[in-house]
Amino acid sequence: MTARVGVVVFPGTNCEHDVAEALRRLGGEARMLWHQDPDLHGVEAVVLPGGFAHGDYLRPGALARFSPVMGAVADFAAAGGPVVGICNGFQVLTEAGLLPGALGVNRSLRFVCRPVRLRVERTGTVLTGQAEAGQELVVPVNHFSGAYRVDPATLERLEAAGQVVLRYLENPNGSQGDVAGVCNEAGNVVGLMPHPERASDPLQGGTDGQVLLRSLLAAALDRSASGARR
Ligand SMILES: NC(=O)CC[C@H](N)C(=O)O
């Protein structure tokens, strides 16, 4: 069995091929899903990759949330399907209301582009099913609006519910609670600002992203094995 992952492409997305190549190298299948097509074509997992959807006009992800594909993504997520938003994809998922919080402009008012140290705070999600609690990873970030923002009461609730999935050990952007990635209550929708596909080959300087992508492929295979509605 091969895990089939849909990679959503908006006008301005620029990491779709990085994600597809990283998944294929780990044994998965990846197919592009154009944002105007409301059909997910039977995939078992969905990734919203990084980039500058609609040029980040208004706010990153603010226009992409209205694309026809997002209705299908929301239905797929509601049915328990694995959905991961990487960087711009995370911004789209928060704008679409599929994840809590928002991503604001970096505290430095500068674009950050460098590897950062992270810690896995929650295992058992579609992105951390094969990780260890407390595992430290080095994964690159690459964004201008990566500062996770949420009201204090909601942050307290997310922490208590184990919905903070990844935490920065060196905060590159001023994210509240050093939050690098969060999940929904069920753990099948995860968003993160770091780019695991850019740490999935030794030539990239590290492979710490592999455990996250392998977890996603395993979650897709689990969905396939369960025969869940596609
Ligand atoms: N690498 C990305 O996905 C960038 C996300 C978004 N365009 C930002 O700059 O914050």
Side-chain angles (χ1 to χ4, degrees), residues 50-52 56 60 86-88 91 111 142-146 193 195:
F52 297 76
D56 283 356
I86 301 170
C87 202
N88 199 212
Q91 295 162 336
F111 193 92
N142 171 266
H143 54 256
F144 181 70
S145 301
M193 288 310 290
H195 286 255

Side-chain angles (χ1 to χ4, degrees), residues 49-118:
F52 297 76
H54 304 91
D56 283 356
Y57 291 126
L58 185 56
R59 294 179 309 276
L63 303 181
R65 59 163 291 190
F66 294 107
S67 288
V69 75
M70 290 308 294
V73 171
D75 292 344
F76 183 74
V83 176
V84 169
I86 301 170
C87 202
N88 199 212
F90 184 14
Q91 295 162 336
V92 174
L93 290 176
T94 58
E95 288 286 342
L98 294 179
L99 284 174
L103 283 305
V105 171
N106 298 339
R107 179 174 48 197
S108 61
L109 300 182
R110 290 178 181 276
F111 193 92
V112 291
C113 181
R114 59 180 170 86
V116 294
R117 292 173 51 236
L118 307 168

Side-chain angles (χ1 to χ4, degrees), residues 130-181:
Q130 306 213 340
E132 303 291 331
Q135 185 173 356
E136 293 192 11
L137 305 170
V138 175
V139 182
V141 293
N142 171 266
H143 54 256
F144 181 70
S145 301
Y148 189 70
R149 293 274 176 265
V150 72
D151 66 275
T154 301
L155 182 57
E156 202 172 310
R157 177 173 60 78
L158 295 176
E159 295 280 10
Q163 288 181 248
V164 175
V165 179
L166 293 165
R167 202 182 303 274
Y168 296 115
L169 295 177
E170 45 191 359
N171 191 325
N173 51 36
S175 289
Q176 280 168 260
D178 296 328
V179 170

Side-chain angles (χ1 to χ4, degrees), residues 25 198-208 210:
R25 288 185 179 208
R198 298 186 183 184
S200 61
D201 183 291
L203 288 177
Q204 293 172 314
T207 58
D208 283 359
Q210 282 192 3

